[in-house]
Amino acid sequence: MIDYNPSAGIPAKGGIPGKGKTVLTDEQVKTLLDAIRGKRPYVFIMIGLYTGLRREEILALQWDCVFLDNKVPYLSVRRAWREEHNRPVISTVLKTPAARRDIPIPECLVDCLRKAKEESVSEYVISNSEGQPLSDAQFQRLWKYVTVRSQKKRTYYKYVNGESIRYTVDPTVLGFQKNNHNIVYSIDFDVTPHLLRHTYITNLLYAGVDPKTVQYLAGHENSKTTMDIYAKVKYNKPEELLDVVNGAFNQESLENDTGKEEAV
């Protein structure tokens, strides 16, 4: 006898179990933004967290699709980034027809984008020093600003007198990089570009936004994708769920009504 379901996670049509996806908590979001505030990836991460755009959509985003002065600020997804022969290519052909969408943006992102636009010399929101879209190699260097601040143990290689020398960095909590005290090891969790999108979609579902609306904002072709992949609980501890459960049953109102009845 076995005490678990060996087919858990396998769809009826077959295949292999899907890997569980994680989501950034509110505290982790704050830690991440504090760690890279003012650094090159900051605008990219803000867009990912507060619009849920895919990496290829953010890298292709141009200022003509960002509407900050409208009564309801929003951005339009109209282009996608890809790489051919190690060079970036911007296309109006999106991943799916559903990827073409208009996304309202919160005030914190409006302020971030407004400042970025004032300092920008490019038609692209995210660009290299020449105002052109990033290549994949340039994006990887951009993302290094995040990984280098991680507390995750990692191995590097450097050449000394033509010989490759391997050395390991085992960061300590809130310690400083040996050769650069401006770099603090403050990120004690894994972060990827797609995790920003996953956090955005999960937060919408967690806030009670209906699945069809989330489907549109995420650019999914159907709501099944939205619910099957992203509809995971954000918190699972009693102390974290108390306010959610009380809110669902309007517990505060019930207590107030009971108090009024007793007073009568």
Side-chain angles (χ1 to χ4, degrees):
M1 297 290 291
I2 57 176
D3 59 359
Y4 67 94
N5 179 6
S7 62
I10 300 179
K13 62 184 178 181
I16 60 176
K19 293 183 178 180
K21 292 180 178 290
T22 58
V23 59
L24 294 177
T25 65
D26 295 340
E27 185 61 34
Q28 288 174 332
V29 168
K30 182 180 183 304
T31 297
L32 174 62
L33 292 177
D34 286 344
I36 50 84
R37 195 179 306 277
K39 306 296 189 300
R40 289 187 61 211
Y42 185 74
V43 176
F44 179 96
I45 290 175
M46 286 288 289
I47 295 172
L49 285 172
Y50 295 109
T51 68
L53 265 63
R54 302 174 176 92
R55 183 182 82 140
E56 61 267 25
E57 295 169 345
I58 299 177
L59 295 181
L61 185 63
Q62 298 183 19
W63 290 114
D64 64 355
C65 286
V66 179
F67 304 93
L68 302 177
D69 297 320
N70 285 41
K71 184 177 180 180
V72 177
Y74 71 98
L75 58 80
S76 293
V77 180
R78 297 292 183 268
R79 304 178 181 94
W81 171 99
R82 69 177 188 275
E83 191 169 66
E84 293 181 357
H85 308 297
N86 299 320
R87 296 182 65 84
V89 175
I90 306 301
S91 172
T92 56
V93 178
L94 303 180
K95 183 176 182 179
T96 65
R100 184 181 177 93
R101 61 203 190 276
D102 297 330
I103 304 174
I105 51 181
E107 186 176 348
C108 62
L109 182 55
V110 171
D111 293 340
C112 173
L113 290 175
R114 197 180 300 279
K115 181 179 179 181
K117 187 175 183 179
E118 291 174 356
E119 299 173 353
S120 177
V121 293
S122 172
E123 61 183 335
Y124 292 93
V125 177
I126 307 294
S127 66
N128 60 23
S129 59
E130 298 176 349
Q132 298 301 310
L134 300 183
S135 66
D136 185 63
Q138 289 172 330
F139 177 78
Q140 297 307 323
R141 287 196 293 271
L142 179 80
W143 198 253
K144 281 281 187 183
Y145 282 81
V146 177
T147 57
V148 77
R149 288 166 171 79
S150 168
Q151 295 174 16
K152 187 175 183 179
K153 185 176 180 179
R154 47 196 177 269
T155 300
Y156 293 97
Y157 292 87
K158 64 180 179 180
Y159 284 90
V160 178
N161 297 325
E163 182 181 357
S164 177
I165 305 297
R166 173 181 174 179
Y167 66 102
T168 301
V169 174
D170 192 2
T172 57
V173 178
L174 296 181
F176 297 91
Q177 190 184 75
K178 182 178 179 180
N179 299 321
N180 186 351
H181 281 198
N182 290 323
I183 296 178
V184 181
Y185 300 123
S186 58
I187 303 175
D188 60 350
F189 47 88
D190 291 331
V191 187
T192 65
H194 187 71
L195 186 57
L196 307 177
R197 170 176 167 81
H198 183 56
T199 299
Y200 170 81
I201 296 171
T202 302
N203 280 339
L204 291 178
L205 292 168
Y206 181 74
V209 180
D210 70 272
K212 294 300 290 184
T213 299
V214 177
Q215 172 195 340
Y216 170 77
L217 292 173
H220 289 149
E221 285 195 289
N222 58 70
S223 58
K224 187 177 186 300
T225 302
T226 307
M227 298 306 293
D228 286 355
I229 298 178
Y230 293 95
K232 311 295 183 183
V233 293
K234 185 177 181 183
Y235 302 115
N236 58 7
K237 297 179 181 179
E239 60 270 25
E240 296 170 335
L241 289 169
L242 180 61
D243 290 341
V244 178
V245 174
N246 282 342
F249 294 101
N250 201 17
Q251 190 64 36
E252 184 176 348
S253 297
L254 291 174
E255 291 176 354
N256 290 338
D257 291 343
T258 301
K260 290 177 182 179
E261 290 175 2
E262 290 176 352
V264 172

